[in-house]
Amino acid sequence: MAMNPAVTWALSAVHAQLAQAGSTAERLWLLGGVVLALSGAGVVALAALRGRRD
């Protein structure tokens, strides 16, 4: 399955921006990714608990 060209362009733009930025900017991007992943896991956990009745 091929990626959407707009998504591919956006990812390449972010990659180019990170290549020019310093290590602090890269760490902030990585931290943002971790926060996003943990937030998604929390939403899934809450949805799973909501459907569960004792």
Side-chain angles (χ1 to χ4, degrees):
M1 183 176 196
M3 241 185 182
N4 185 343
V7 173
T8 305
W9 178 82
L11 288 176
S12 65
V14 168
H15 185 266
Q17 192 175 20
L18 282 177
Q20 294 175 355
S23 63
T24 302
E26 185 176 353
R27 288 180 184 174
L28 286 174
W29 273 97
L30 292 173
L31 179 62
V34 170
V35 167
L36 184 64
L38 289 175
S39 298
V43 168
V44 169
L46 288 175
L49 287 176
R50 182 184 300 171
R52 182 178 166 191
R53 298 197 182 225
D54 290 331

